[in-house]
Amino acid sequence: MLTFGVIGCGSIGGFLARLLTREDKELADRARLAAVAGRDPARVGALAAEVRCGATDVAGLLARRDVNAVLVCTPSGTHARLAEEALRAGKHVLVEKPVDVTPQTADRLISVAREAGRTLGVVSQHRFDPAARLARTAIASGRLGRVTSVMTELAWWRGSAYYSSGTWRGTPALDGGGALMNQAIHAVDLVQWLAGPVVEVAAHTARLAHPGIEVEDVATASLRFANGALGTLLATTAAYPGRTARTAVNGDRGSVVIDDDELAYLHLARHGEDAPAYGAFGTADQSADYAAALVRDPARDASGLLYQPHRDQLLDFCDAVREGRPPLVDGAAGRQAVAVVTAIYASARTGRPQRVDTGTPAGIRGTPRFTKESPKGDQQTTKQ
């Protein structure tokens, strides 16, 4: 059993505190919430009263002997410092995305976790969406053939009220960047989990709709993956009134599209299949054949967030601590996403392609099991 403390009582800290205290026997068997902490005593007290747990400051939380795990939910540029304090206090740590705002701070944090002998994880809940799990298993088992291209688009809107809701938002020091570092870091992590690490980028960034911020609200990049696949990325908070996030992975034997965290298109070539010479033009969608494997809990928090992806990541983190293994999204995975983002910023700044600082290769570990039978008529079986 892990007893958590939450540092940071803003929107995501409040959401995770509510997740840890809602009725959920499977999660309750692994985790409980003991206390919340933050800089604003009034906000800390209000959240503690809402979820019926202790209220304290950071030092007080880290000193509690009954707290053996910490969720860090503070502004991005403070993640590594607070996570290091928690690790040195003997706590396991799960950090909200991004792990921090530079690969170097991530490297230091990973080293501290290793020295402390504690588990370090990074919140990247979209790996736990059923559609993402299915896509990952199909790709890893070779069902798409050779991956040839990847396209990811996050076309969101953030109004001025969003950026004024916290003095850290829209600042390079504490936000680490704009639409790319704060919002699209999820997409960057997901495409690397699906298609392998990105090794080179060429990019442009701009601030076009939010003159009051210090960072970009539009970023575009060309990506080159280690396996030779090419990709494109669009990340923006200037697409009024806001559309969905969409990722497509294409191979020479299949393609998959995830839109708004749902499976929008899937085709896996069947044995002996040969597509028309000029292609199928979007037909031959097999996604309906996998509907039973894509059922998820529709419950949402008052903030609008689905509980299920974060819940499943918390379950994985708790199991990783108990089993002595890395969580699905460990410090190295969090570092790799930040390394791609900072390479994009460097390319945009210099006007030249930029190699990604991959550090110690993390691979694409953690293939989730997918037991849905292959579509009718398919003579191949999905590898487990």
Side-chain angles (χ1 to χ4, degrees), residues 9-12 39-40 43 75 158-171 175 182-183 210 212-213:
C9 297
S11 57
I12 193 64
R39 293 179 303 171
D40 183 344
R43 179 175 280 187
R158 291 292 185 269
S160 58
Y162 167 81
Y163 287 106
S164 63
S165 66
T167 56
W168 63 279
R169 295 193 185 279
T171 65
D175 217 351
N182 194 313
Q183 282 80 27
H210 301 90
I213 66 175

Side-chain angles (χ1 to χ4, degrees), residues 110-140:
I110 292 167
S111 294
V112 171
R114 186 180 302 115
E115 292 165 4
R118 292 295 181 264
T119 300
L120 172 65
V122 181
V123 174
S124 194
Q125 76 276 8
H126 292 297
R127 291 195 188 193
F128 295 84
D129 289 320
R133 297 185 191 194
L134 188 156
R136 172 69 178 95
T137 303
I139 294 166

Side-chain angles (χ1 to χ4, degrees), residues 94 195 209 226 287 332 343 384:
L94 183 57
S287 59
Q384 304 298 313

Side-chain angles (χ1 to χ4, degrees), residues 14-64:
F15 166 74
L16 290 170
R18 290 187 292 274
L19 172 59
L20 282 165
T21 53
R22 71 192 290 259
E23 287 190 23
D24 185 325
K25 185 179 185 308
E26 189 176 7
L27 184 57
D29 286 344
R30 293 171 169 85
R32 60 178 290 268
L33 178 66
V36 295
R39 293 179 303 171
D40 183 344
R43 179 175 280 187
V44 173
L47 180 58
E50 178 188 353
V51 298
R52 300 180 181 180
C53 74
T56 183
D57 58 14
V58 173
L61 187 146
L62 296 183
R64 287 185 60 143

